[in-house]
Amino acid sequence: MDLVIGPLDLGARVDEALAVQAVAFGLGPDEVAVRRQIVQRHMQFPGARALGALAAGRLVGFVYGMPNSRTHWWSTVVEPYLRAQGTDFWLDDAFVITELHVHPEHQNRGIGRHLITAITDSAAEPRSILSAIDTDSPARGLYHSLGYTDLARRVHFPSAPRPYAVMGAPLPLLRP
């Protein structure tokens, strides 16, 4: 497989990225429509950037993130959970991984690891934070292997049926 990982114009390729996310994360058309607006808005934030993984010119994975701000919606939701654990300082001076998805046909090949390490390697912030569904999953296993630890668990987002874990790691991320 000829795989190329590099900068992604997520605004221009949002539909391709959301098609990957829909398959990887099990999203329906209504959820994709909502997320399209969110992605477009996020990419306007200062410091927001994205990387893509292309196989034969087809987008098979992507990651995007930005410097965190306590004024962002995500931060306002997770802050009380982090404060209760004494870990809310992680919201400051952190690069947040907003989304990381790899098409199921291309998972378990190191693409997600490559994407997340590449985007965080270029971060100016000393740490990274993210949220992931709060279950033992390959994604959480990947994050743990990179040095992410649980900062808060059983975090509930409005409209999300399952609880999430908020995780943080010092940068640079661990390498195998």
Side-chain angles (χ1 to χ4, degrees):
M1 173 179 69
D2 191 23
L3 186 73
V4 176
I5 293 181
L8 176 67
D9 181 349
L10 190 54
R13 298 186 83 164
V14 66
D15 293 324
E16 286 175 87
L18 289 175
V20 169
Q21 185 176 358
V23 174
F25 213 57
L27 301 179
D30 291 343
E31 292 170 296
V32 168
V34 168
R35 287 174 187 254
R36 186 177 202 284
Q37 305 301 323
I38 293 169
V39 170
Q40 298 283 27
R41 186 177 69 247
H42 283 166
M43 293 315 295
Q44 302 304 312
F45 289 173
R49 58 189 185 281
L51 297 176
L54 297 140
R58 185 174 141 243
L59 188 69
V60 298
F62 74 99
V63 63
Y64 84 91
M66 65 199 83
N68 193 54
S69 168
R70 285 183 183 249
T71 64
H72 293 164
W73 175 85
W74 181 85
S75 288
T76 65
V77 174
V78 304
E79 192 271 337
Y81 294 93
L82 295 176
R83 189 173 359 97
Q85 299 298 317
T87 57
D88 61 308
F89 65 91
W90 277 85
L91 293 171
D92 302 316
D93 211 16
F95 186 82
V96 63
I97 300 298
T98 308
E99 300 289 349
L100 170 62
H101 299 286
V102 176
H103 193 284
E105 292 175 3
H106 296 271
Q107 291 176 1
N108 302 310
R109 298 180 188 176
I111 296 171
R113 178 180 301 276
H114 192 121
L115 286 166
I116 194 171
T117 56
I119 200 166
T120 58
D121 280 352
S122 64
E125 298 76 16
R127 60 182 153 257
S128 172
I129 54 176
L130 56 79
S131 55
I133 293 174
D134 193 0
T135 185
D136 282 338
S137 65
R140 291 217 341 120
L142 168 64
Y143 302 143
H144 283 301
S145 77
L146 293 166
Y148 285 89
T149 59
D150 293 335
L151 304 175
R153 299 198 59 188
R154 293 178 294 286
V155 174
H156 294 275
F157 288 98
S159 80
R162 297 188 285 181
Y164 278 70
V166 176
M167 305 176 77
L171 295 179
L173 296 176
L174 296 177
R175 300 306 201 269

